[in-house]
Amino acid sequence: MPRLSVNGIDLYYEEHGEGVPVLGIHGTPSSALLWEDAAVELGRIGRCIIYDRRGFYRSGRPEPFDAVGLTEHVDDAAALLEILHAAPAVVIGRSTGGEIALYLAHRFPELVQALVLLEPAVFWMDPKAFAWAMELRKSVLHAAAKDPWRAAESVVRFALGDQAWEALPATFRDMFAATSPAVLAEIRGEGLDLSEKQAELGAEELGQLRQPTLLVSAEDSPGVLRLVNSRLAEALPHSESVLVSGGHLINPAHPAVLEFVRRFAAARE
């Protein structure tokens, strides 16, 4: 399996296609395993790079793995782009990955050409969304107190519903379960969507982001997730929004996303 040493951690990654760089950042709990079909589709347009974030599934984790925060994930994404000479990239982030993508664009604007945010987990944007996230955090901690390996399962059941969890193939359920230590490390860390101390970007900082941004919401997701995107649409000066069918696990290669990425591929030619 291809791996790179990034900030002292071996990260699993894959590359598909060539051309305009596209970086995919998965959510919590998750893995690039869920992005493989999308990466093939995106690889027909550009050079799609997907990876397991530190501590998740096939990537390494520091010892001891007590906590991980937003800063570490953003630094890893930036270093990955630089090591692979893949900047500036179109960065696609789903859920927690969307939060990381947004802060990557804020801290390292030279590395990000454009953003695709699939219901990004920036719950501090709205009081109702923040309250929802804190209930999710409480649910995860309650489940983990009984069995730490059920932390990831509890996130999926709370955010997507019991039926969604039961419908997952056994391979995916096993993958999610294996990410439970990373889920708990993020809860103990700072700046992420389930952290006690969440990071925030003010209206002025958001207004300074110059990257074209596609905000994607899903019809069947919890309403607070669409609410977050509506707040972002008001704050980001170069954003456009689209509503797609389905739930929170929005396809990173949805036709609306592919059309958006093609603009940058065409500009590169």
Side-chain angles (χ1 to χ4, degrees), residues 4-9 11 23 25 51-54 68-84 87 91 96-97 99-112 186 190 192:
L4 278 177
S5 180
V6 175
N7 296 324
I9 299 295
L11 296 185
L23 178 68
I25 308 179
Y51 70 106
D52 285 357
R53 293 192 276 114
R54 66 166 54 211
V68 62
L70 178 61
T71 297
E72 289 96 330
H73 284 312
V74 171
D75 286 346
D76 287 349
L80 188 65
L81 289 174
E82 291 175 333
I83 293 169
L84 294 176
V91 182
T96 306
E99 179 186 19
I100 295 165
L102 184 65
Y103 278 85
L104 178 67
H106 170 64
R107 286 187 50 210
F108 301 97
E110 72 281 3
L111 301 182
V112 180
E186 288 191 348
E190 292 188 0
L192 291 161

Side-chain angles (χ1 to χ4, degrees), residues 180-195:
S180 288
V183 172
L184 294 174
E186 288 191 348
I187 284 180
R188 292 190 292 264
E190 292 188 0
L192 291 161
D193 50 302
L194 297 184
S195 304

Side-chain angles (χ1 to χ4, degrees), residues 21-37:
V22 179
L23 178 68
I25 308 179
H26 67 77
T28 298
S30 191
S31 152
L33 182 67
L34 267 64
W35 287 60
E36 288 182 349
D37 291 343

Side-chain angles (χ1 to χ4, degrees), residues 34-42 92-94 116-119 214 216-218 242 244-258 261:
L34 267 64
W35 287 60
E36 288 182 349
D37 291 343
V40 172
E41 289 294 315
L42 288 160
I92 304 173
R94 184 164 67 191
V116 178
L117 304 180
L118 311 176
E119 294 189 336
L214 179 65
V216 186
S217 302
V242 63
V244 302
S245 60
H248 182 53
L249 291 181
I250 299 168
N251 182 6
H254 185 279
V257 177
L258 297 180
V261 175

